[in-house]
């Protein structure tokens, strides 16, 4: 990482050693981890070596969006999962129950990042009017916010 931060032109041994010392990369791993753990428990996440901004600023900006997205995902999972689970339980010995169980096993076997990438691809390709990439806060416009979250 120190080599990447110094750049091609400034990659001298002295510059690499200086950057490694500034970032604490010259210390043993357990000391680096302990330093990170104690600072992060105090709320000090450090400064990004790439942007020179406090990491807390970026986390603070992304946290409301992430929490709202997590809440919508949980609501969606409960809304969809509860009826499917009830149907599978009621018809457990029939072909419907077996088909639901088989389908869920197949879906759960696919890694979530693959499903996410496929959902983004297909929704942006076949439903371009629904695909939004700019977040609108819920306090600004409820309708646009719900459209972005779907």
């Amino acid at each position: 990482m120190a080599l990447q931060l110094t750049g091609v032109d400034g990659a001298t041994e002295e510059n690499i050693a200086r950057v490694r010392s500034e970032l604490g990369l010259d210390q043993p791993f357990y000391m680096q981890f302990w330093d990170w753990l104690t600072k992060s428990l105090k709320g000090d996440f450090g400064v990004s070596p790439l942007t020179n901004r406090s990491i807390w600023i970026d986390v603070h900006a992304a946290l409301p969006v992430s929490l709202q997205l997590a809440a919508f995902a949980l609501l969606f999972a409960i809304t969809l999962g509860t009826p499917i689970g009830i149907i599978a339980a009621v018809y457990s010995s029939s072909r419907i129950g077996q088909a639901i169980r088989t389908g869920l096993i197949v879906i759960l076997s696919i890694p979530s990042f693959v499903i996410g990438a496929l959902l983004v691809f297909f929704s942006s390709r076949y439903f371009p009017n629904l695909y939004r990439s700019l977040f609108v806060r819920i306090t600004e416009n409820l309708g646009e916010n719900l459209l972005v979250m779907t």
Side-chain angles (χ1 to χ4, degrees):
M1 180 168 188
L3 182 61
Q4 293 171 344
L5 290 175
T6 55
V8 176
D9 297 333
T12 63
E13 288 295 324
E14 295 83 28
N15 285 345
I16 293 173
R18 180 185 51 81
V19 169
R20 286 181 55 80
S21 175
E22 288 174 2
L23 296 176
L25 298 175
D26 54 349
Q27 298 177 357
F29 176 74
Y30 64 90
M31 291 296 293
Q32 294 177 39
F33 179 74
W34 180 254
D35 186 43
W36 169 82
L37 183 65
T38 55
K39 286 181 179 178
S40 64
L41 289 175
K42 295 176 187 174
D44 178 16
F45 296 108
V47 176
S48 170
L50 301 177
T51 63
N52 259 348
R53 281 192 321 208
S54 172
I55 292 175
W56 178 247
I57 293 171
D58 295 333
V59 169
H60 188 266
L63 193 61
V65 179
S66 298
L67 290 176
Q68 186 180 3
L69 185 61
F72 272 105
L74 182 63
L75 181 66
F76 179 75
I78 290 171
T79 304
L80 192 66
T82 302
I84 290 174
I86 290 171
I87 292 169
V90 169
Y91 298 106
S92 62
S93 59
S94 69
R95 289 181 189 248
I96 294 172
Q98 291 173 353
I100 289 174
R101 282 195 304 275
T102 303
L104 290 177
I105 288 172
V106 169
I107 289 172
L108 291 173
S109 299
I110 302 171
S112 59
F113 65 89
V114 173
I115 293 175
L118 289 173
L119 284 173
V120 169
F121 173 74
F122 286 115
S123 67
S124 64
R125 182 175 177 122
Y126 297 110
F127 305 106
N129 293 335
L130 295 177
Y131 186 72
R132 304 274 194 258
S133 61
L134 297 177
F135 179 73
V136 178
R137 294 196 178 276
I138 198 167
T139 55
E140 293 174 12
N141 187 339
L142 178 63
E144 277 293 315
N145 177 271
L146 293 175
L147 198 61
V148 167
M149 284 293 154
T150 54

